[in-house]
Amino acid sequence: MSTRPADTSEPNLELPVEELLRRARPLPRHEEMVIGDLSEDEGAAFLTAVKS
């Protein structure tokens, strides 16, 4: 644990929850986000890429 006083020379970059919610945008409709024409292998490769 540090005993030094907090450095107040750097600005706080965190935003309050209210500001984050105000800036948030809704997600597109489900139909607009679905990639429907992928083969099973392409789907598996996509999921692998997303998880890595």
Side-chain angles (χ1 to χ4, degrees):
M1 186 185 314
S2 176
T3 57
R4 293 184 305 151
D7 182 11
T8 57
S9 63
E10 292 184 33
N12 184 355
L13 300 178
E14 293 183 21
L15 296 172
V17 172
E18 293 80 13
E19 178 64 15
L20 293 173
L21 290 172
R22 187 186 68 73
R23 292 183 183 193
R25 289 180 271 157
L27 290 173
R29 293 186 346 255
H30 177 74
E31 294 79 22
E32 295 175 12
M33 295 190 305
V34 172
I35 305 171
D37 57 348
L38 291 180
S39 70
E40 203 169 308
D41 290 338
E42 290 170 327
F46 177 78
L47 289 177
T48 300
V50 169
K51 290 177 182 179
S52 63

